[in-house]
Amino acid sequence: MATHVKTTINNEAVEFLCEPHESLSSVLRERLHLTGTKEGCTTGDCGACSVMLDDRLVCSCLVLGVETEGMSIDTVEGVAKADKLHPIQEKLLEHAALQCGICTPGIVVSAKALLEKKADPTEEEVRFWLAGNLCRCTGYDKIIRAVLDAASVLREEA
Amino acid sequence: MDSLQYFAPTTLQEAVQLLETNSGCRIMAGGTDLIVQMHIGTASPPAIVDIKKIPELNKLQLSDSDLLLGPAVSGASITEQADIAAIYPGLVEAIDLIGSTQVQGRCSVGGNLCNASPAADTVPSLIVNNAVCEIHGASGVREVAAESFNLGPGKNCLSEGEILSLIRLPKPVPGSADAYLRFIPRTEMDIAVVGAAVSVTIGGDGVCSAARVAIGAVAPTALLVPEAAKALVGTDLNDQALENAGAAASQAASPISDKRGTAEYRIKVVGVLTRRAAAIAKQRALQN
Ligand code: FES
Ligand code: FES
């Protein structure tokens, strides 16, 4: 039976109907057309579906849509402000840290969560934090460099 | 699957009632095992009881006498608390090894225990910390020691209608510490080939007065190894004592061979990890 769920997505009140078995990633993509969130595996292994749920980084494929009643969800669509990209997004472009781009929204959300927690992470800390974000194209080095670079930009801005 | 029912009770009593009236339903904490099983088709429960909205099951409370750990508490909310890591470093290490950052945002120690995987990272650490599991059911409350909670791969001691309501870890006495090590072929995002947890208590005279050793992924359930603890107690935890504890752990192991490693290999590695985990626990205990 379809359930009526009330949430806040990217700071806006959003209501939707979904079946109990539907994952949050599928609700975001199929019902709300927020297709920035990607689905690579739907088993929690790739991180392409990363979102913030009540300020906690999670795989949205491992969350049921019905569970999010009353919760706040932040997706990659909320990261850029108007036409200004977030420094993480800018640095990913600058370092050519994406090819097919399927992993990129998950990397953006995940890296942002890290930098909000830790403004000056070591390379090792970035690698461990992003271990659950798989990229089949870039070989990771460029992604790591982009995140470290974005961290220093954010520190200067702060 | 379309007929799946979802319940989000807000009290333990309500949860127990739902479990009683919905035969075959599954309890969900973080969902990082259950939702995967549903996606790949190895589980298709008629109903899910989500326990995350029950305040009592989200308890995380460190006091002078113990740590009260609600079964719905996410791994990330434990690992980010420095005061818990200072007292139970091995347990927190084990939680930090589960899945990815994203998975840790949802997965729970209670779920890791109830899922009853022989390779579950937190279970050996719960065992060496003398964790007691409180179980609620229609007929009341009972307590089970962590080492007796699981009965075999995928099988725990909960009867239909019962729910794990709390994990209680007594506070270690001064001079105590724990450690957990696991072996995997890469550094992250994998399942233990072998795991070993050790806790020791060292007196003012430098002699080990108490120890517990538990090993994972080398038997149908995580295993408490009293013989390995015996090899440590009464010694100053010298190299020979650690070696003996490792040998006892290897002796107790009865692993299977699978794609992650052969039985022979696991038996050898569990001895090495036990010895190393004991050495780390010793160093930590000397500072406590
Ligand atoms: S789609 Fe969620 S982790 Fe891969
Ligand atoms: S850019 Fe293709 S998966 Fe990362």
Side-chain angles (χ1 to χ4, degrees):
Chain A
M1 192 189 64
T3 308
H4 183 197
V5 182
K6 289 187 201 163
T7 59
T8 304
I9 302 183
N10 300 326
N11 294 321
E12 278 178 34
V14 176
E15 300 183 18
F16 56 82
L17 283 172
C18 78
E19 297 291 336
H21 69 264
E22 276 178 74
S23 64
L24 175 60
S25 54
S26 138
V27 167
L28 290 170
R29 293 180 52 83
E30 314 290 332
R31 297 207 181 248
L32 301 172
H33 308 295
L34 289 167
T35 53
T37 300
K38 305 300 179 197
E39 282 182 328
C41 63
T42 70
T43 48
D45 296 300
C46 76
C49 65
S50 299
V51 302
M52 301 301 285
L53 182 63
D54 273 356
D55 294 323
R56 177 97 49 211
L57 181 67
V58 300
C59 293
S60 57
C61 72
L62 294 189
V63 175
L64 299 175
V66 286
E67 280 184 68
T68 63
E69 170 67 37
M71 299 181 89
S72 78
I73 301 158
D74 292 291
T75 71
V76 70
E77 282 87 352
V79 173
K81 292 292 164 249
D83 59 353
K84 188 166 163 24
L85 290 180
H86 187 280
I88 292 169
Q89 294 170 311
E90 267 173 12
K91 290 297 174 188
L92 284 168
L93 284 172
E94 204 176 289
H95 285 260
L98 60 150
Q99 289 177 29
C100 80
I102 292 288
C103 69
T104 313
I107 305 254
V108 169
V109 171
S110 183
K112 184 166 175 276
L114 170 64
L115 300 186
E116 278 164 8
K117 217 174 138 84
K118 197 152 198 161
D120 194 5
T122 63
E123 177 183 332
E124 196 184 350
E125 283 168 335
V126 176
R127 285 185 185 274
F128 270 97
W129 184 272
L130 293 178
N133 290 91
L134 303 188
C135 174
R136 299 293 78 173
C137 304
T138 65
Y140 301 105
D141 274 353
K142 293 172 170 184
I143 296 172
I144 304 300
R145 269 179 260 148
V147 173
L148 287 167
D149 208 0
S152 67
V153 171
L154 286 163
R155 284 197 304 277
E156 277 160 32
E157 281 178 6
Chain B
M1 184 114 105
D2 282 338
S3 58
L4 176 72
Q5 277 190 290
Y6 170 82
F7 299 107
T10 53
T11 67
L12 186 52
Q13 210 172 0
E14 210 185 318
V16 170
Q17 270 162 15
L18 284 163
L19 293 174
E20 243 181 284
T21 46
N22 291 273
S23 172
C25 77
R26 291 280 301 265
I27 300 169
M28 179 170 84
T32 51
D33 287 308
L34 180 60
I35 297 177
V36 175
Q37 290 163 11
M38 284 164 45
H39 275 313
I40 62 177
T42 53
S44 45
I48 288 177
V49 176
D50 180 359
I51 59 167
K52 287 191 297 297
K53 321 260 169 175
I54 304 174
E56 204 178 334
L57 303 193
N58 278 299
K59 187 182 288 172
L60 181 59
Q61 198 178 303
L62 183 63
S63 75
D64 286 342
S65 55
D66 49 24
L67 172 67
L68 302 182
L69 179 50
V73 174
S74 74
S77 44
I78 303 169
T79 52
E80 67 197 13
Q81 263 186 243
D83 52 349
I84 297 179
I87 298 171
Y88 308 95
L91 174 66
V92 172
E93 270 159 4
I95 297 170
D96 208 19
L97 286 169
I98 301 176
S100 57
T101 317
Q102 287 86 336
V103 167
Q104 282 169 28
R106 294 262 296 170
C107 72
S108 69
V109 174
N112 198 229
L113 178 64
C114 289
N115 194 46
S117 160
D121 284 306
T122 63
V123 182
S125 292
L126 290 175
I127 293 174
V128 300
N129 279 298
N130 294 293
V132 175
C133 311
E134 190 185 281
I135 298 167
H136 262 77
S139 53
V141 189
R142 64 185 177 112
E143 288 189 343
V144 173
E147 58 268 31
S148 310
F149 190 87
N150 287 325
L151 309 174
K155 177 130 194 52
N156 61 41
C157 71
L158 298 179
S159 316
E160 190 153 301
E162 281 190 323
I163 183 170
L164 172 66
S165 49
L166 184 69
I167 302 171
R168 195 174 63 242
L169 291 86
K171 188 150 176 201
V173 298
S176 305
D178 72 330
Y180 175 74
L181 289 176
R182 77 167 178 192
F183 175 76
I184 55 172
R186 50 189 302 225
T187 48
E188 268 286 84
M189 294 285 289
D190 210 340
I191 294 167
V193 178
V194 173
V198 177
S199 71
V200 296
T201 305
I202 304 177
D205 53 359
V207 174
C208 171
S209 58
R212 275 167 83 85
V213 176
I215 53 182
V218 290
T221 63
L223 218 58
L224 178 66
V225 189
E227 300 75 24
K230 231 177 270 168
L232 300 173
V233 174
T235 75
D236 61 355
L237 300 177
N238 53 52
D239 291 351
Q240 188 58 52
L242 303 189
E243 196 68 50
N244 295 345
S250 290
Q251 187 75 39
S254 58
I256 54 165
S257 293
D258 65 11
K259 63 178 179 190
R260 299 184 179 280
T262 61
E264 199 188 358
Y265 179 70
R266 286 184 152 120
I267 288 173
K268 171 129 180 82
V269 174
V270 79
V272 175
L273 291 192
T274 298
R275 171 162 55 78
R276 291 186 188 163
I280 296 169
K282 173 190 171 183
Q283 287 315 320
R284 288 177 177 161
L286 288 172
Q287 273 145 39
N288 280 348

